[in-house]
């Protein structure tokens, strides 16, 4: 996300950074030369081999057995120093299964690991046992795709190797048929350098969540002092190699207790945004990548994707292909979740500024944000879904941000943090208009199709909160009525960041921005927290919860606003009151 991050630098520094990039100077070395970069790298112990080529390994999930000892599944190794320092996690629940994840530290050879799944918190009623091997080629991480569980059921689990036992984890499978309500905690943009993950801590206190949806920027790639200075990273420099990416993922999970606790309590459903690789990344490059100085982009991207697959509890939709993460999960008859990849799979270079958003590059018919293969998968899924709700997990803002330049041809300065000097949010769907219109055409039922009702888009990326009706033209009264919501095709809820910095735009400028954007119903540009999104047969609701601080660990939270979407209305309505 370009403008939010560049806005934290002075204008001269932004210009000098761009000039240095054009001259072929590494952004890391440039910032270090200015006294902003970090020091030498500090690596976690046992992070595996350095920068080996990405090799497909079956389905990238460790093999498992139904029952029995795991002792025979690996060669001789000393387990005296083995620990589970990075905690445990589950992800991508189905009615019959789940991904179970952990990492073994303190070993240097293939290591047998046992997963025990229980039906009670006291770990007395054993449900089943699985076996796997932690090995160097996957950085001693373990992922087991377990089948044979019961739908809509809570389980507890532990991993064991030798005398070492992990902390106890808890998880819950998806329902198979009818469900009264499904509730998700929704988070994104967790820059450790900008503060403490108090949003994770508050979510961990809840007992009413089915899963956590993380919409990207789970980690950040920068070195110490380059973007935020509240907490430091390992390695201390910007991450560019396989070992770097593995170490940064491990640093997050090992050192942040709130993140580790949240993983241990709820299954996660995740997608990456740009910072899991590097800022403003796309299919063929990235703003924060200097070719040659920081290696080749295809190799760096593949290392980032490999580390993500190893360290996250994600089920790959194609065995052995960690570059493809877009996938569909079903929660009974209540909802289908479509998790997109708007970053790395088939995104063209974002529209540079200045670009006229009406006549210029942004509206070119051949521009791709998700690409034909993913587009066909998404639109076919929306048209054929029999669930009440269709939920799209999405990295970048879908609805329009309309800002008209002034007489000087530039957007007023306070709003340039949002849309740049030309008025185009080119990093989001505004920069890829043709693909957005293909989706809205399906929702509307164009070309003889059936209208698709009850689509809710959940979005991260912009470190701020937005609620909007989805329409092709919010300022055309024949298309959309902002007073009643008639003509709206879907609803988008954009969530606040966990810690990443918001926008210090004056309220007067925000009010002026609202005039040409009547489809936008709520804006909060600075507070941090999470969304709590609940689906029932009658309505969807989204609650915006904000934490009192990120400067220190702890604090409180408050419910700022709740929005409702009644079934088959496809538009936003506000609602008072607290969460149930």
């Amino acid at each position: 996300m370009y403008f939010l991050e560049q806005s934290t630098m002075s204008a001269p520094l932004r210009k000098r950074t761009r000039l240095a990039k054009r001259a072929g100077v590494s952004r890391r070395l440039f910032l270090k030369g200015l006294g902003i970069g970090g020091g030498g790298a500090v690596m976690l112990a046992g992070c595996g081999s350095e920068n080996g080529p990405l090799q497909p390994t079956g389905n990238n999930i460790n093999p498992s057995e139904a029952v029995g000892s795991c002792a025979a599944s690996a060669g001789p190794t000393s387990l005296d120093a083995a620990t589970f320092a990075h905690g445990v996690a589950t992800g991508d629940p189905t009615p019959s299964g789940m991904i179970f994840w952990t990492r073994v530290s303190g070993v240097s050879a293939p290591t047998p690991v046992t997963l025990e799944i229980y039906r009670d918190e006291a770990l007395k009623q054993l449900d089943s046992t699985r076996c796997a091997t932690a090995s160097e080629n996957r950085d001693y991480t373990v992922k087991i795709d377990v089948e044979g569980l019961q739908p809509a059921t809570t389980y507890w689990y532990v991993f064991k190797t030798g005398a070492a036992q992990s902390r106890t984890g808890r998880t819950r499978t998806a329902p198979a048929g009818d469900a009264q309500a499904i509730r998700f905690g929704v988070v994104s943009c967790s820059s450790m350098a900008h503060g403490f993950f108090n949003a994770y801590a508050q979510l961990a206190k809840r007992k009413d969540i089915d899963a956590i949806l993380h919409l990207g920027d789970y980690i950040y790639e920068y070195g110490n002092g380059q973007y935020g200075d509240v907490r430091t990273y390992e390695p201390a420099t910007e991450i560019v190699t396989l070992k770097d990416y593995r170490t940064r993922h491990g640093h997050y999970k090992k050192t942040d207790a709130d993140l580790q606790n949240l993983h241990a309590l709820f299954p996660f459903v995740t997608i990456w945004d740009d910072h899991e690789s590097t800022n403003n990344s796309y299919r063929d490059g990235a703003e924060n990548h200097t070719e040659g100085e920081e290696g080749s982009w295809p190799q760096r991207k593949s290392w980032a994707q490999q580390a993500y697959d190893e360290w996250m509890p994600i089920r790959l939709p194609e065995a052995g292909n960690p570059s493809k993460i877009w996938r569909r999960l079903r929660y009974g008859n209540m909802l289908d979740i479509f998790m997109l990849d708007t970053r790395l799979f088939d995104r063209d270079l974002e529209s540079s500024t200045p670009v006229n958003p009406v006549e210029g590059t942004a509206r070119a018919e051949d521009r791709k944000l998700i690409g034909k293969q993913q587009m066909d998968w998404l639109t076919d899924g929306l048209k054929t879904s029999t669930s009440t709700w269709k939920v799209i997990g999405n990295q970048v803002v879908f609805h329009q941000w309309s800002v008209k330049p002034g007489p000087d041809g530039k957007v007023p300065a306070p709003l340039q943090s949002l849309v740049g000097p030309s008025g185009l949010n080119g990093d989001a769907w505004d920069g890829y208009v043709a693909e957005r219109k293909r989706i809205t055409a399906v929702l509307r039922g164009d070309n003889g199709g059936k209208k698709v009702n009850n689509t809710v888009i959940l979005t991260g990326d912009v470190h701020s909160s937005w609620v909007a009706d989805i329409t092709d033209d919010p300022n055309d009264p024949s298309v959309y009525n902002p007073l009643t919501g008639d003509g709206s095709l879907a609803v988008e809820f954009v969530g606040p960041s966990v810690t990443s910095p918001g926008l210090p735009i004056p309220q007067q400028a925000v009010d002026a921005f609202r005039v040409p954007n009547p489809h936008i119903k709520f804006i909060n540009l600075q507070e941090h927290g999470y969304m709590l999104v609940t689906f029932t047969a009658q309505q969807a609701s989204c609650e915006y919860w904000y934490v009192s601080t990120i400067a220190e660990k702890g604090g409180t939270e408050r419910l700022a606003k709740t929005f409702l979407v009644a079934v088959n209305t496809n538009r936003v309505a506000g609602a008072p009151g607290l969460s149930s």
Side-chain angles (χ1 to χ4, degrees), residues 3 12 33 44 48 58 82 84 91 93 169 202 232 286 291 299 338 435 480 489 519 522 560 580:
F3 289 112
L44 293 175
F84 295 96
Q202 295 295 340
T232 57
E291 193 70 12
Q299 181 66 88
F338 301 88
E435 285 205 333
Y480 172 71
L489 301 171
H519 58 307
F522 177 66
S580 58

Side-chain angles (χ1 to χ4, degrees), residues 498-521:
V498 174
T499 53
S500 303
L503 291 169
I505 295 178
Q507 187 60 44
Q508 183 177 4
V510 175
D511 293 341
F513 175 80
R514 294 289 296 273
V515 174
N517 292 279
H519 58 307
I520 297 175
K521 309 303 179 182

Side-chain angles (χ1 to χ4, degrees), residues 119-188:
R119 293 186 292 273
D120 66 317
E121 188 173 6
L123 308 184
K124 301 295 184 183
Q125 302 174 38
L126 180 65
D127 179 88
S128 57
T129 302
R130 304 295 196 280
C131 300
T133 301
S135 58
E136 184 182 33
N137 72 316
R138 291 187 59 80
D139 202 21
Y140 296 99
T141 61
V142 173
K143 288 171 70 171
I144 306 175
D145 195 355
V146 172
E147 283 292 328
L149 303 180
Q150 295 299 308
T153 301
T154 300
Y155 292 91
W156 291 261
Y157 62 96
V158 293
F159 288 91
K160 295 179 179 180
T161 185
Q165 178 172 313
S166 73
R167 67 182 297 168
T168 300
R170 184 188 72 194
T171 194
R172 185 170 178 81
T173 53
D178 294 336
Q180 290 187 336
I182 301 296
R183 178 170 290 171
F184 301 116
V186 184
V187 290
S188 64

